[in-house]
Amino acid sequence: DTAVSQTPKYLVTQMGNDKSIKCEQNLGHDTMYWYKQDSKKFLKIMFSYNNKELIINETVPNRFSPKSPDKAHLNLHINSLELGDSAVYFCASSQGRDRGVEKLFFGSGTQLSVL
Amino acid sequence: AQTVTQSQPEMSVQEAETVTLSCTYDTSESDYYLFWYKQPPSRQMILVIRQEAYKQQNATENRFSVNFQKAAKSFSLKISDSQLGDAAMYFCAYQEYNNNDMRFGAGTRLTVKP
């Protein structure tokens, strides 16, 4: 029943490894997002896809690569993980038809710990 | 499961006046965070204010303040002297203290009238 689901919930890995976080939404939304929550609880947008097309790409190291196989999925791949990548990552979705303020639906987060 | 409820899908306020956005949540935990995030059209999420559940004193940030009622599980946001730039979607969020599990409310769209 979960509208936006992301897996895994926890991810503990060593520096230098490559890992992926998956996100799926069953709301029929056109737009999906990845946000990073830092230690001070700020939520920063990383990427946004609309109908599989990248529309927002903030200043994020190119080790981070989003992949959207279809509009219901937006996965986040991270190569050569670094200590500073440790954070909670949130996936979200919205209908994507409103150019103004959009209502976002969030997943419950993936806690990434890089050792 | 923890849930966050924002019962007001839309609110409007006259510029320079005060508005209160409501939020209630459900949890069996005693230690947690509560947040209000502002989302402008850029889709960025701006942290407006945060409250640690163990703190009895209500958090304030300039024109923004909260009324945190732990027993009632209520966390409302008051915006004083509203400005046109306050217009946005506001999300209430709950996050567990130990495992970072986070829940967002459905959002309240705030309109500020000049």
Side-chain angles (χ1 to χ4, degrees):
Chain A
D1 268 285
T2 306
V4 181
S5 60
Q6 50 184 111
T7 55
K9 191 174 178 63
Y10 301 98
L11 186 52
V12 182
T13 188
Q14 299 287 330
M15 276 177 56
N17 285 350
D18 303 336
K19 291 293 179 184
S20 295
I21 307 172
K22 296 184 177 181
C23 180
E24 175 182 5
Q25 54 95 3
N26 62 6
L27 297 167
H29 287 167
D30 291 334
T31 307
M32 296 184 72
Y33 312 80
W34 277 107
Y35 287 85
K36 177 181 179 181
Q37 185 187 43
D38 63 20
S39 58
K40 296 182 179 179
K41 307 301 183 182
F42 291 103
L43 266 177
K44 296 181 180 178
I45 192 168
M46 301 173 68
F47 302 103
S48 176
Y49 269 74
N50 180 272
N51 273 318
K52 303 194 297 176
E53 180 183 349
L54 182 65
I55 56 171
I56 296 176
N57 185 4
E58 294 296 314
T59 306
V60 175
N62 57 16
R63 298 181 295 104
F64 290 79
S65 55
K67 287 190 171 49
S68 182
D70 55 63
K71 75 173 191 177
H73 296 84
L74 180 62
N75 304 322
L76 183 64
H77 300 275
I78 316 171
N79 296 324
S80 303
L81 278 155
E82 300 178 357
L83 293 177
D85 297 333
S86 296
V88 183
Y89 293 84
F90 289 94
C91 177
S93 74
S94 68
Q95 282 202 318
R97 298 191 188 101
D98 186 350
R99 290 189 176 181
V101 174
E102 279 254 57
K103 180 174 288 189
L104 299 180
F105 294 77
F106 283 86
S108 58
T110 295
Q111 184 171 346
L112 172 64
S113 300
V114 182
L115 307 177
Chain B
Q2 295 85 1
T3 57
V4 178
T5 303
Q6 291 178 249
S7 59
Q8 305 152 318
E10 296 189 5
M11 290 284 284
S12 67
V13 62
Q14 205 69 37
E15 194 176 4
E17 293 189 348
T18 296
V19 64
T20 299
L21 309 184
S22 65
C23 174
T24 59
Y25 58 95
D26 180 33
T27 184
S28 56
E29 302 292 327
S30 58
D31 289 330
Y32 49 87
Y33 295 103
L34 293 165
F35 308 94
W36 278 99
Y37 285 98
K38 172 185 176 183
Q39 184 220 335
S42 68
R43 309 290 193 266
Q44 189 59 271
M45 292 286 277
I46 301 166
L47 179 61
V48 174
I49 201 163
R50 60 183 276 178
Q51 174 89 38
E52 285 93 339
Y54 70 87
K55 290 185 178 179
Q56 293 185 344
Q57 188 172 6
N58 289 327
T60 62
E61 285 288 340
N62 301 315
R63 297 182 295 108
F64 299 88
S65 62
V66 297
N67 183 4
F68 173 47
Q69 302 288 328
K70 191 172 184 179
K73 297 178 184 174
S74 171
F75 184 62
S76 60
L77 174 70
K78 185 171 84 170
I79 307 174
S80 305
D81 186 24
S82 298
Q83 300 175 0
L84 295 177
D86 295 334
M89 186 77 83
Y90 287 81
F91 288 91
C92 178
Y94 162 99
Q95 189 171 41
E96 290 187 7
Y97 195 75
N98 289 321
N99 68 15
N100 286 315
D101 191 22
M102 195 157 189
R103 296 288 184 265
F104 289 83
T108 297
R109 184 190 302 251
L110 178 66
T111 303
V112 181
K113 299 177 182 177

